[in-house]
Structures are given as C-alpha cells and as structure tokens.
C-alpha cells in the first residue's frame, strides 16, 4: 500500500479505477440534472418551415412594394392552422405569431400598421421583402448536435429536447453512494448525544455533497461502538447497495485505525493511505470487488476537503462528467498568518467582478471547525512551505460553486 502520497497521485489512482456507469432511459422530466449518455441530434430543422414573427398579414408583394391599392385578404389563419392555398402577388392572409406561412409569402406586416377596408388591407408603412419571417432552421439545423454525451441536462436543454420530441432520454445511472461515519463517540444526528458523544454532521455533509454531484444516497449511517464482526457485516451490506462507499473518521491512528482494520477485515485492497495535504491528511482508499471505498478524515473541514479532492471527482467520473472543478487565479482580500507545513487547502469565498476573481479566506479554518463551511464556495490551494498569505496576493483556487 502507498503511504502519504501526493494529492495528484491519489486522484490518478482513483480515476484509473473508475469507469462511467451504464446508461438508463428515463422520461425527459426525470432527466433534469442527469448526464446524457448519448449524443442527441436534431431530426428536423427548427423552425421546420417559414413562420410569422408577428400577428399580422402575410403578404405576397413585389420587391419593396407597399402593395399600391393594398392586398386582398384571402383567409385568416388561427394558431396551429395552415393555409389552404399559396399566396400569389397582391394577396394576403391574416396570420398569428408562429403560424406556418403560406407558400408565396414575401413578408409579414404587423396588424398595428394595417388598415382593413372590406376584403382589402393597406399598410401605413413600407413593407420590406423578408420582414418578420422566421427562417427554417434559424434556431437549429436538421442534423445538428443538440446535446453531447457527458453533458448535464439543464432546464434549457430540457426545453430543447422537448422541442424535438425526445420524451425519453438515455442518461448515466446515478451513482449510489453509502456513507458510514466511524468512531465510537459519533451518534446519528437524529439522536441526543450523551456527554462525550457528538452528532454525526460529516455523514449528512458527504450525503449532501454527493447529491449535488448527481449521486443517489442509499445510506447515511454511523458505526457507533460496533464490534469488528458487526462492522464487517455492516460495511459488506453497504457495499452491496452502493457503487461507492465513503467513510469518515477512524482514520488517524496508523494500522490500528478502525477504518484500515475494517477494510482489511472485508478483504479490501488498500490503494493508498495518507495524503500530503492539510486538512485531509488522514484520507485513504481501498477497492474490493471493483468497488471503491474512500475513507475521509473525521475532522469536519478535513472531511469536506477530502470529499472535494477525492470523492467528488470519482462521482463525476462515474457519470462521465469532467472530474475536476475549475482552477482559477484569484486576488486574496485578506491575510492568513500560518506559514510552512504541507500543501494547505483553505476554505474561501470567491466572487467575480469587473476586476476578475477575488477570494476571502473565511474565519474558522481549524480542521475541527464547521464554521467556514457555512459560506465556502472555493478551496484556496497553498503549496507546501508557503509563506503567510498577504492581502492582495494572487492565489490559486478550486472553484466549488459559482
Ligand atoms: N496522534 C494523532 N492524533 C491526531 C492526528 C495525528 O496525526 N496524530 N491527526 C489529527 C487530524 S489532522 C485529524 S483530521 C484527526 C483525524 O482523525 P480521524 O479521521 O481518525 O477521526 P476521529 O478520530 O474519528 O475524529 C476526529 C474528530 O473529528 C470529529 N468527527 C469525527 N467524526 C465525525 C462525524 N461523523 N461528524 C462530525 N464530526 C466528526 C470529532 O470532533 C472527532 O473528535 O485526528 C487528529 N488527531
Ligand atoms: O489531517 Mo486533518 O485531516 O488535517 O484535519
């Protein structure tokens, strides 16, 4: 087993063992937020034919003509109706916005500048060739790519797919994630802790992050003071239900860790243990029956950083999404006095304005604290041995949410 590896080494190992899950076909509205497992193409142009941009008169005129004595109104088309016959020179048809235009239409004139006199219509302004006509295919050409495989489906894409009648969509199966909080003193957040115990906040944190990453959470459980035999059974049960198991805590005491002990007990192959980062140094991973188990530190900020750096990329890769969030350069709006030590990830709040990206180092950076998680939307990546961070210094950030 590799010990105290570089972050990128740990990430490479995990991604080399991760392949996208199979696709499944779901109704369009259930595909929102899911990731397309196939390229989807336009099977026709949109609009499919010339259409009216305004409510008014489709006319057939000579070039730049205002029709002289006006046009004969042949028919009135209500929405959804098509013309009974083409227009010839000097003829008009009343159309609603979006109506398929009669063949022969050279322009559509808004009703606001039309004057009806008996069966004829005249216009108070000049009518130009091509006015107020939606061209076929001006939105999408037949055969064009609507959605490429690996794209997360947004509300906008939902509407595009609906416009092309894609009522069922093939998407990657949502990765099933089981979360297990280790450690004797940790009780479920539903319970009132006894003196010396604490509520499990890491489990719900991991579950919430996994949901945001497109996962479905099968279990959020605590191991409590389970015996080794019970813990083995407990983990094996979770492994059966999930594609990925994430544990937190019980990872910091070398070979006596509850986490490593438990993993060896189920016959898992330990991939690496310990990463040269802070917080999150006590993170590891194992594999059994082709399923990965990621063990994160117990301290809350360490657990969060570990999730973003290790588990999030795996969950995204299982859905063929780009695994890593954006890395940007940002100006730090405040200072941080600690220096030296391993590569450090600080919880930050990043914003973009007309001067570019800036980031504020949030208060409460101890890895035991939850406080910074209330606002954090970025991890500030400080290389090993960094001097104190000065206000206005450029730093590298991993943008978690924008
Ligand atoms: N002798 C050493 N002690 C510690 C070291 C070390 O290197 N040598 N590292 C410290 C650091 S850094 C971390 S991080 C923690 C990690 O320890 P574990 O992953 O084994 O976590 P636990 O000991 O189980 O818990 C530590 C601490 O974290 C909080 N915690 C744990 N689980 C949860 C949970 N589910 N929800 C909320 N909070 C949780 C809790 O405050 C625990 O006290 O080890 C340090 N010690
Ligand atoms: O290593 Mo701990 O995981 O730094 O907070």
């Amino acid at each position: 087993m590799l010990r105290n590896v570089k972050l990128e080494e740990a990430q490479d190992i995990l991604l080399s063992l991760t392949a996208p899950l199979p696709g499944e076909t779901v109704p369009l509205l259930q595909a929102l937020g899911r990731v397309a497992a196939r390229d989807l193409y336009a099977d026709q142009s949109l609009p499919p034919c010339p259409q009216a941009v305004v409510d008014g008169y489709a006319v057939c005129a000579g070039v730049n003509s205002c029709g002289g004595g006006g046009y004969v109104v042949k028919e009135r088309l209500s929405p959804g109706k098509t013309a009974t016959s083409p227009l010839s020179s000097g003829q008009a048809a009343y159309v609603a916005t979006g109506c398929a235009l009669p063949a022969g239409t050279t322009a559509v004139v808004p009703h606001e500048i039309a004057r009806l006199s008996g069966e004829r219509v005249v216009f108070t302004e000049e009518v130009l060739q091509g006015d107020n006509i939606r061209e076929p295919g001006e939105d999408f050409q037949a055969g064009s790519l609507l959605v490429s495989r690996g794209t997360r489906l947004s509300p906008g894409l939902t509407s595009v797919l609906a416009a092309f009648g894609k009522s069922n969509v093939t998407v990657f199966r949502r990765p099933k994630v089981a979360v297990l909080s280790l450690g004797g003193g940790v009780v479920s957040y539903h319970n009132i802790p006894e003196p010396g115990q604490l509520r499990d906040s890491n489990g719900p944190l991991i579950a919430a992050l996994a949901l945001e990453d497109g996962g479905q959470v099968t279990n959020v459980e605590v191991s409590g003071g389970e015996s080794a035999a019970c813990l083995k059974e407990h983990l094996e049960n979770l492994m059966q239900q999930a594609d990925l198991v994430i544990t937190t805590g019980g990872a910091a005491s070398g070979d006596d860790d509850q986490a490593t002990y438990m993993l060896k007990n189920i016959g898992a192959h330990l991939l690496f243990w310990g990463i040269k980062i802070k917080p999150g140094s006590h993170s590891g991973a194992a594999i059994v029956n082709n399923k990965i188990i990621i063990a994160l530190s117990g301290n809350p900020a360490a657990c969060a950083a570990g999730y973003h750096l290790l588990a999030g990329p795996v969950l995204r890769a299982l859905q063929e999404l780009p695994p890593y969030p954006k890395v940007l350069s940002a100006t730090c709006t405040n200072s941080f006095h600690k220096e030296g030590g391993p590569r450090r990830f600080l919880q930050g709040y990043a914003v973009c304005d007309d001067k570019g990206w800036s980031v504020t180092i949030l208060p409460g950076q101890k890895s035991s604290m939850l406080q910074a998680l209330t606002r954090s939307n970025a991890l500030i990546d400080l290389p090993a041995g960094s001097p104190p961070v000065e206000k206005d210094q450029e730093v590298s950030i991993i943008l978690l949410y924008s």
Side-chain angles (χ1 to χ4, degrees):
M1 180 200 20
L2 297 166
R3 285 191 178 275
N4 293 324
V5 296
K6 280 181 65 181
L7 174 61
E8 285 73 13
E9 195 178 351
Q11 291 174 325
D12 287 350
I13 291 171
L14 288 173
L15 289 194
S16 72
L17 296 166
T18 306
L21 293 168
E24 61 183 4
T25 300
V26 299
L28 178 63
L29 284 183
Q30 286 172 28
L32 180 66
R34 306 281 300 271
V35 181
R38 307 240 192 294
D39 291 339
L40 293 171
Y41 292 91
D43 50 11
Q44 60 172 82
S45 290
L46 199 71
C49 60
Q51 292 176 342
V53 173
V54 292
D55 291 352
Y57 293 89
V59 296
C60 179
V63 178
N64 292 345
S65 155
C66 65
Y71 299 82
V72 178
V73 182
K74 277 180 67 193
E75 59 184 324
R76 301 183 74 84
L77 300 182
S78 46
K81 295 283 182 256
T82 52
T84 49
S85 59
L87 296 180
S88 40
S89 187
Q91 291 185 325
Y94 186 83
V95 289
T97 301
C99 272
L101 293 174
T105 300
T106 54
V108 181
V109 190
H111 63 72
E112 290 86 343
I113 60 167
R115 299 284 170 270
L116 257 183
S117 162
E119 295 205 331
R120 300 188 82 78
V121 62
V122 291
F123 305 116
T124 55
E125 290 172 26
E126 190 185 3
V127 176
L128 295 178
Q129 185 94 359
D131 264 1
N132 298 315
I133 295 178
R134 289 183 197 157
E135 292 301 332
E138 70 176 21
D139 205 357
F140 291 93
Q141 289 286 338
S144 63
L145 183 64
L146 301 172
V147 175
S148 55
R149 177 184 160 117
T151 304
R152 195 189 283 283
L153 297 175
S154 62
L157 286 173
T158 303
S159 74
V160 170
L161 295 179
F164 286 92
K166 314 268 185 208
S167 43
N168 294 300
V169 184
T170 305
V171 289
F172 288 108
R173 183 162 70 64
R174 293 175 70 188
K176 294 182 195 147
V177 181
V179 187
L180 179 61
S181 294
L182 303 169
V186 178
V187 297
S188 164
Y189 64 99
H190 302 296
N191 296 347
I192 298 172
E194 302 283 341
Q197 295 182 327
L198 82 152
R199 285 197 185 92
D200 175 26
S201 59
N202 289 352
L205 168 73
I206 295 167
L209 290 169
L211 284 170
E212 282 203 335
D213 275 325
Q216 45 185 328
V217 177
T218 57
N219 310 70
V220 184
E221 298 183 3
V222 296
S223 71
E226 281 176 345
S227 66
C230 283
L231 192 51
K232 178 172 183 284
E233 201 179 316
H234 194 165
L235 183 61
E236 282 170 345
N237 182 31
L238 296 184
M239 298 289 303
Q240 270 173 13
Q241 299 182 57
D243 301 301
L244 174 70
V245 173
I246 306 175
T247 70
T248 170
S253 316
D255 286 343
D256 298 330
D257 290 337
Q258 204 182 5
T260 44
Y261 181 80
M262 167 191 77
L263 291 169
K264 285 176 185 163
N265 220 5
I266 63 160
H269 167 63
L270 296 182
L271 297 164
F272 59 85
W273 211 259
I275 304 183
K276 290 181 193 155
I277 55 172
K278 186 151 189 64
S281 54
H282 300 290
S283 308
I287 189 161
V288 61
N289 298 331
N290 289 323
K291 286 191 186 171
I292 292 176
I293 303 156
I294 298 179
L296 303 177
S297 309
N299 271 331
C303 174
Y307 176 91
H308 290 302
L309 298 170
L310 300 173
V314 169
L315 272 179
R316 291 188 282 271
L318 285 168
Q319 301 162 83
E320 213 175 275
L321 286 168
Y324 299 114
K326 268 193 201 129
V327 173
L328 306 164
S329 178
T331 310
C332 210
T333 65
N334 52 356
S335 58
F336 182 73
H337 67 276
K338 278 196 180 164
E339 59 183 314
R343 180 176 177 183
R344 192 184 289 277
F345 287 94
L346 300 177
Q347 304 279 349
Y349 181 68
V351 289
C352 188
D353 62 17
D354 52 356
K355 293 193 204 93
W357 283 94
S358 63
V359 67
T360 300
I361 300 168
L362 293 168
Q365 291 287 338
K366 283 185 187 168
S367 67
S368 57
M369 294 169 85
L370 289 155
Q371 197 189 127
L373 301 181
T374 56
R375 288 180 63 210
S376 170
N377 68 352
L379 289 175
I380 303 165
D381 183 356
L382 301 179
S386 287
V389 179
E390 307 285 349
K391 182 175 180 300
D392 295 332
Q393 184 182 322
E394 283 297 300
V395 288
S396 173
I397 63 167
I398 299 174
L399 192 63
L400 305 173
Y401 316 100
S402 51

